[in-house]
Amino acid sequence: MADDASRAGDRYASADILDWCADTHAPHDAGLAQAFDARGAGLPPIQVGPSEGKSLGLLVKMSGARKIVEVGTLAGYSAVWMARALPADGHLWSFEFDAKHAAVARKNLDAAGIGDRVTVVEGAALDTLASIESEGPFDLVFVDADKKNYPHYGAWAAKHLRPGGLLIGDNAFLFGRLLEDSDEAKAMRAFHEDARAHFDTVCLPTPDGLVLAIKK
Ligand code: SAH
Ligand code: DHB
Ligand code: MG
């Protein structure tokens, strides 16, 4: 597209503006603050930001999702946002490879008051997703784990989401490396392109890109 065709590509968001907006729209209570502090629990601080977390919660509410699958739990921060947005009879199954991360997340989810609405499933998600397939079809799948397996998680979502269900993928810009000639970049591009075949899709320009897709 011609550079002068639109101002839509200009970036006006400074760090101060982004912080002000997060504080205004996505403030933390004690439960969110505890789950956000992955580093304090000895985990890597790689959770979504507050504005992305709030966006996930709003997407749960807007879509009326009742059955959610998350791939990549970490300390449970995105899970707290999504589970709190569920109706009383809703459930979130969150898949986590690392036993320490899963233990921290369970503690944080209990502290946030939604432990009964979330099941943290331990192990490599490609091996464990099958264990919940009888609970499907699902309303929303959030993918935020090992990047090389994104195409597999997308394919699982295409199969196990209901028509109209949402697929959301974090780190869709692959830390800025999306267009490189690496296996991880090829996998992330395949995730985008495969999603387009089965979903109505967009990639939202969050700090690291968020694919948002509705199952056809
Ligand atoms: N969604 C979380 C952040 C997840 S970070 C939040 O925003 O709060 C990515 C997580 O995926 C890490 O905890 C990592 O251990 C986990 N992970 C990596 N490979 C995985 C796999 N194969 N199966 C399940 N989880 C995996
Ligand atoms: C990293 C960030 C993420 O959002 C993620 O899901 C995994 C890793 C990172 O910065 O390394
Ligand atoms: Mg992520």
Side-chain angles (χ1 to χ4, degrees):
M1 262 176 269
D3 285 345
D4 59 355
S6 161
R7 289 171 60 188
D10 292 351
R11 303 290 284 182
Y12 299 113
S14 65
D16 285 348
I17 287 175
L18 290 171
D19 283 348
W20 185 89
C21 288
D23 290 347
T24 300
H25 300 289
H28 286 168
D29 67 2
L32 283 165
Q34 181 174 322
F36 191 70
D37 189 19
R39 181 179 273 139
L43 274 45
I46 57 173
Q47 64 278 33
V48 297
S51 292
E52 285 78 57
K54 179 67 181 282
S55 300
L56 292 171
L58 291 184
L59 286 164
V60 169
K61 290 186 184 177
M62 286 174 188
S63 63
R66 204 172 62 77
K67 292 190 278 184
I68 301 177
V69 176
E70 173 174 71
V71 186
T73 316
L74 192 68
Y77 179 67
S78 51
V80 172
W81 278 112
M82 292 193 286
R84 284 184 172 175
L86 280 168
D89 66 343
H91 202 81
L92 166 64
W93 291 266
S94 187
F95 289 79
E96 175 52 54
F97 175 74
D98 189 297
K100 180 179 176 194
H101 298 191
V104 169
R106 289 191 187 101
K107 185 164 59 72
N108 290 343
L109 292 159
D110 285 341
I114 33 86
D116 56 340
R117 266 187 244 174
V118 185
T119 304
V120 179
V121 182
E122 253 176 74
L126 280 186
D127 300 331
T128 51
L129 278 165
S131 68
I132 62 154
E133 285 173 2
S134 63
E135 306 275 359
F138 300 94
D139 303 305
L140 189 155
V141 173
F142 175 50
V143 178
D144 191 17
D146 49 328
K147 309 313 166 197
K148 69 179 185 311
N149 281 321
Y150 267 44
H152 299 294
Y153 302 140
W156 189 91
K159 189 164 173 204
H160 296 285
L161 279 168
R162 66 167 168 81
L166 300 188
L167 169 63
I168 306 173
D170 190 35
N171 307 106
F173 298 157
L174 195 61
F175 320 109
R177 303 198 296 264
L178 179 64
L179 305 185
E180 290 184 3
D181 187 28
S182 65
D183 289 346
E184 244 186 4
K186 283 178 194 157
M188 188 60 82
R189 291 201 298 276
F191 172 74
H192 283 255
E193 291 165 355
D194 296 351
R196 201 179 45 191
H198 300 281
F199 297 80
D200 200 4
T201 56
V202 72
C203 184
L204 297 176
T206 59
D208 197 25
L210 195 74
V211 163
L212 176 60
I214 305 177
K215 171 95 177 284
K216 288 180 188 163

